[in-house]
């Protein structure tokens, strides 16, 4: 028979941070850090606390969400978030998120996905900068009444979407 449709290898990783991400300057780009990994992640890992590293070639969908808030003061300011591949900014991957309001009352979630063709050993980083050092990517612990889980400052998942294997033949 004819060759069947391919199947994805199923490589994936899931990561998050339970730490606040703080910027001490408005003129510096900061790597977003990830200090927790789902133990079932397969073929995708985090190196040096920010480099999402791919053990296998393929096309990957990288999704993230980041919770921003103002820690003091008030106003309307912005956070830029973009992707880097192997230490180089990826053109046209930036998005600007506006955060408005007063301290601890301006929560804004940035969330999107990005598709990339990657080679084995490549790494991707999420990078951010802020127009005001009073804006942070914030972690919130678990809550009660009712019981609710913690809110990571950043959640990142990456999964392979490229068909790379041939199906069975008859």
């Amino acid at each position: 028979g004819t060759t069947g449709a391919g199947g994805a290898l199923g490589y994936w990783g899931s990561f998050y941070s339970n730490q606040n991400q703080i910027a001490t300057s408005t003129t510096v780009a900061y790597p977003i850090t990830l200090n927790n990994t789902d133990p079932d992640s397969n073929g995708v890992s985090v190196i040096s606390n920010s480099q999402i590293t791919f053990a296998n070639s393929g096309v990957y969908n990288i999704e993230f969400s980041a919770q921003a808030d103002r820690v003091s003061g008030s106003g309307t300011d912005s956070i830029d978030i973009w992707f880097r591949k192997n230490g180089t900014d990826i053109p046209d991957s930036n998005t600007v998120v506006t955060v408005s309001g007063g301290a601890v009352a301006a929560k804004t979630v940035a969330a999107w996905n990005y598709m990339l063709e990657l080679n084995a050993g490549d790494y991707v980083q999420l990078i951010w900068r802020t127009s005001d050092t009073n804006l942070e990517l914030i972690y919130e612990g678990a809550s009660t009444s009712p019981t609710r889980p913690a809110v990571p400052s950043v959640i990142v998942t990456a999964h392979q979407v490229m068909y790379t294997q041939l199906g069975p033949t008859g």
Side-chain angles (χ1 to χ4, degrees):
T2 60
T3 301
L9 293 173
Y11 297 120
W12 67 278
S14 180
F15 317 98
Y16 68 95
S17 177
N18 61 359
Q19 299 172 329
N20 289 349
Q21 316 260 332
I22 299 168
T24 57
S25 172
T26 61
T27 61
V28 173
Y30 296 93
I32 288 176
T33 59
L34 302 161
N35 64 337
N36 291 280
T37 298
D38 184 309
D40 294 323
S41 293
N42 177 24
V44 184
S45 59
V46 172
I47 307 296
S48 299
N49 215 29
S50 69
Q51 298 174 353
I52 304 162
T53 305
F54 300 83
N56 302 280
S57 297
V59 174
Y60 287 83
N61 188 18
I62 303 165
E63 306 93 2
F64 79 92
S65 64
Q67 178 175 251
D69 201 359
R70 181 178 306 284
V71 295
S72 68
S74 64
T76 299
D77 293 286
S78 62
I79 290 177
D80 292 64
I81 300 175
W82 68 93
F83 288 88
R84 276 189 186 155
K85 178 181 172 185
N86 298 328
T88 302
D89 291 342
I90 297 174
D92 304 313
S93 68
N94 187 24
T95 296
V96 179
V97 177
T98 300
V99 180
S100 296
V104 196
K107 288 179 182 58
T108 303
V109 175
W112 57 90
N113 67 302
Y114 203 81
M115 300 282 284
L116 282 174
E117 185 170 358
L118 299 164
N119 294 315
D122 282 349
Y123 70 90
V124 172
Q125 291 173 292
L126 285 164
I127 307 297
W128 76 293
R129 60 79 59 188
T130 179
S131 66
D132 183 342
T133 58
N134 288 318
L135 298 183
E136 297 179 2
L137 304 180
I138 62 160
Y139 168 82
E140 292 186 51
S143 300
T144 59
S145 296
T147 300
R148 303 181 300 283
V151 179
S153 59
V154 179
I155 300 170
V156 178
T157 61
H159 68 276
Q160 187 182 45
V161 296
M162 179 81 161
Y163 285 96
T164 57
Q165 294 178 322
L166 295 178
T169 58

